[in-house]
Amino acid sequence: MALTDALVVGEKAKELERNEANLEEAFETLVRQHREAIYRVAIRMTHRHEDADDLVQETFLRAYTSLQRFRGEASPATWLYRIVTNLALNLLRHRSRFQRAAVLFRGESESVTPPSVDQDETRRAVQAALEMLPPSQRIVVVLFDIEGLSAAQIAEILDIPEGTVRSRLHYARRHLRRRLSAFFEELDHASHVS
Amino acid sequence: MLLTCREARLRIEDFCDGLLSKAESLAVEEHVAHCATCRRRLLAERSFRALLRAAREVTPPPHYFESLFSRLTARLEAEQTRRRRLSYAASWAALASVVTTLTIFLVQKPAEPLPRPLRKPIAAGWTLRPQERRNFPPPTANKSVPERIEVSRDVVWASLVEQKRPAAVEEILPTSMESLSPEPETSDTWLAFAVPSADSPSLWKYETQRMSEPDILPPVRRSETEPTPTPSESGLPAFVSVAMTVVSEPTLPVEIILQKHR
């Protein structure tokens, strides 16, 4: 009897070890497969590498803590996009409030432009134009036009109606066309479409 | 279906997004095949989309992606170690709290109650000191002048515990032991000031800043407005609430609410 018990305990311990090993393996795969995409969203939303790195790490740490509970109702990519999106929007909201507080405290602006992460002039221009957008529009452009997600996926990630996604996209693009018109032939498209 | 230039123009964005029906797409294609102006518009829209897609390329520091997994693993391990230590320390703190409370109860008479005690003493040996409470003046009638409020670190921690918000406590625990330990000589000072909310003149917004390292971006990432809609006799709010987010590490935000009754 004692021997049977010992065998059962031994099996359970092995199973736990296997589960832990599986979890770590799944986590490593998740990180390897999605790290570039999550970093792209983070850097296009925040512009600063340090902030983007924070967001990327926090996204994956949160994913790890709920990996065992993840039941595949959404795709892992959608799930990670949702986490990084929420974190990025929170960060931008807080950054904006902090900058306002700093202005009130010190009577000066804290909005110092960080060094650009883009070597290429075109990408720098796109990043600068993106930063002029409100975060709620910026995230839609990042997910749709840069990441290539569908409006339905973005609606799921942001938990808003698909129509709202399309309307934010439309207004954001109109602004971006104006800002980036020097880089392509525009033909006054925005003003006629609106 | 024959489209006018205006109709074609209105469909170019949806056409590029692949949102049109087959018939509508064909109509746009037919129109641009014959209309040089709309063709140029379509090409411009495609160039614009290509420009945005080019932003997919990012250049993080060298070896950033390669080292990411090992850094995440290191953080997970560090966090687990901290949790274990904290769990051990919390057990001793709870025991010490019980012993202290019993000693005070048995040896001394109860102190005079505060004029308006806010809440009961909190768990794990932490209390809100009366003088700390008095450091929270209500907003002044002059809404244009920011009101500075000093909040020491242990009050922030105490308030967090006091709210009995397990999720928030849980979240701050891994990093709070060192940074929020009750050592008065190393206590940080938090400044908060009240400004009228832009949304409604009857609301007060509290902005906060950690002042111990004024030249470094403080670890306060958020300050929120708690409505203070109850006017007192003098026309000032009867109490104010300060909601702050303390970020003991940049990635661990915790909401904290401090409340002051007049």
Side-chain angles (χ1 to χ4, degrees):
Chain A
M1 188 68 179
L3 181 62
T4 317
D5 285 350
L7 286 173
V8 169
V9 170
E11 274 306 306
K12 283 195 173 172
K14 278 181 191 167
E15 193 182 329
L16 276 176
E17 273 178 25
R18 273 199 301 274
N19 285 346
E20 274 183 23
N22 287 344
L23 185 66
E24 190 157 325
E25 200 179 309
F27 183 54
E28 189 172 3
T29 307
L30 192 76
V31 173
R32 203 175 48 246
Q33 285 180 344
H34 300 285
R35 60 194 177 190
E36 282 91 352
I38 298 305
Y39 180 79
R40 270 199 307 272
V41 174
I43 196 71
R44 291 300 168 215
M45 288 302 288
T46 64
H47 194 184
R48 298 183 175 98
H49 169 74
E50 290 71 21
D51 285 340
D53 181 37
D54 279 349
L55 294 187
V56 170
Q57 289 198 40
E58 184 62 16
T59 299
F60 283 116
L61 290 176
R62 289 192 183 196
Y64 180 81
T65 55
S66 42
L67 199 57
Q68 282 169 314
R69 295 195 300 273
F70 180 65
R71 282 177 292 194
E73 282 138 358
S75 79
T78 306
W79 179 48
L80 292 171
Y81 276 130
R82 183 181 297 140
I83 301 175
V84 73
T85 294
N86 288 334
L87 289 171
L89 292 175
N90 277 339
L91 176 70
L92 293 176
R93 206 157 31 232
H94 304 161
R95 190 193 277 174
S96 145
R97 284 178 182 165
F98 170 71
Q99 281 169 353
R100 285 205 306 274
V103 169
L104 279 167
F105 259 116
R106 298 176 183 155
E108 61 189 26
S109 173
E110 289 283 306
S111 56
V112 178
T113 308
S116 177
V117 291
D118 290 308
Q119 315 295 321
D120 177 74
E121 188 195 350
T122 312
R123 293 206 304 272
R124 272 205 301 275
V126 172
Q127 180 67 43
L130 282 173
E131 279 168 43
M132 301 298 289
L133 294 174
S136 60
Q137 290 182 13
R138 195 187 313 170
I139 187 64
V140 173
V141 172
V142 168
L143 293 177
F144 193 100
D145 284 323
I146 298 178
E147 287 302 304
L149 270 60
S150 70
Q153 285 173 305
I154 298 169
E156 188 189 342
I157 288 166
L158 296 177
D159 198 20
I160 55 176
E162 207 176 316
T164 309
V165 174
R166 298 225 59 89
S167 114
R168 285 185 191 174
L169 196 57
H170 174 71
Y171 287 112
R173 281 174 178 165
R174 192 167 68 176
H175 174 88
L176 292 173
R177 280 190 202 97
R178 280 199 209 108
R179 298 273 309 178
L180 297 168
S181 59
F183 291 87
F184 67 99
E185 190 187 8
E186 201 209 21
L187 281 178
D188 205 18
H189 173 92
S191 58
H192 284 92
V193 170
S194 59
Chain B
M1 189 194 323
L2 288 175
L3 298 179
T4 64
C5 281
R6 179 179 157 70
E7 287 168 336
R9 217 162 41 219
L10 288 170
R11 284 168 173 76
I12 281 177
E13 188 172 356
D14 284 349
F15 177 75
C16 290
D17 285 342
L19 291 175
L20 298 183
S21 67
K22 204 167 183 178
E24 280 182 314
S25 295
L26 276 173
V28 172
E29 281 168 13
E30 274 176 29
H31 181 88
V32 296
H34 296 99
C35 174
T37 309
C38 289
R39 192 160 55 245
R40 284 206 306 277
R41 285 199 179 97
L42 177 60
L43 289 176
E45 181 65 12
R46 284 182 171 153
S47 303
F48 169 63
R49 302 299 179 89
L51 193 67
L52 295 181
R53 274 196 303 277
R56 270 182 75 83
E57 198 177 320
V58 289
T59 45
H63 310 300
Y64 172 71
F65 290 131
E66 291 78 4
S67 65
L68 180 61
F69 183 72
S70 57
R71 284 184 291 130
L72 287 169
T73 312
R75 274 192 64 181
L76 283 169
E77 280 169 8
E79 199 156 304
Q80 279 164 1
T81 308
R82 269 199 299 267
R83 276 174 191 270
R84 275 197 295 272
R85 277 189 200 150
L86 198 65
S87 166
Y88 181 71
S91 307
W92 280 105
L95 181 64
S97 172
V98 170
V99 170
T100 309
T101 310
L102 278 175
T103 308
I104 291 170
F105 181 75
L106 293 171
V107 174
Q108 294 184 338
K109 286 183 180 178
E112 283 293 312
L114 286 169
R116 292 192 62 174
L118 293 182
R119 296 165 192 222
K120 292 175 184 174
I122 53 163
W126 295 87
T127 53
L128 277 171
R129 293 199 297 260
Q131 64 269 30
E132 297 288 358
R133 290 181 184 162
R134 284 198 292 272
N135 280 345
F136 292 73
T140 58
N142 180 4
K143 293 183 179 183
S144 64
V145 179
E147 178 95 29
R148 286 156 71 101
I149 298 174
E150 292 191 3
V151 186
S152 75
R153 184 170 56 185
D154 51 352
V155 174
V156 171
W157 172 244
S159 171
L160 177 70
V161 178
E162 189 183 26
Q163 290 171 69
K164 294 180 179 157
R165 298 175 58 194
V169 174
E170 177 73 8
E171 202 165 7
I172 202 172
L173 282 183
T175 52
S176 63
M177 205 53 189
E178 296 85 6
S179 61
L180 291 173
S181 60
E183 299 167 21
E185 68 275 14
T186 59
S187 179
D188 287 340
T189 299
W190 296 74
L191 294 182
F193 57 89
V195 292
S197 166
D199 303 322
S200 165
S202 65
L203 299 184
W204 289 88
K205 179 189 286 287
Y206 275 79
E207 304 281 8
T208 56
Q209 186 176 13
R210 182 186 182 194
M211 294 304 286
S212 56
E213 295 169 299
D215 295 326
I216 299 174
L217 186 70
V220 175
R221 291 285 183 83
R222 178 162 58 177
S223 55
E224 298 237 336
T225 304
E226 279 288 313
T228 55
T230 317
S232 67
E233 289 167 7
S234 63
L236 295 174
F239 66 87
V240 295
S241 297
V242 185
M244 299 195 301
T245 292
V246 177
V247 184
S248 45
E249 280 186 4
T251 52
L252 287 171
V254 180
E255 282 186 8
I256 287 166
I257 295 176
L258 301 168
Q259 194 170 70
K260 163 74 173 110
H261 289 245
R262 291 189 70 209

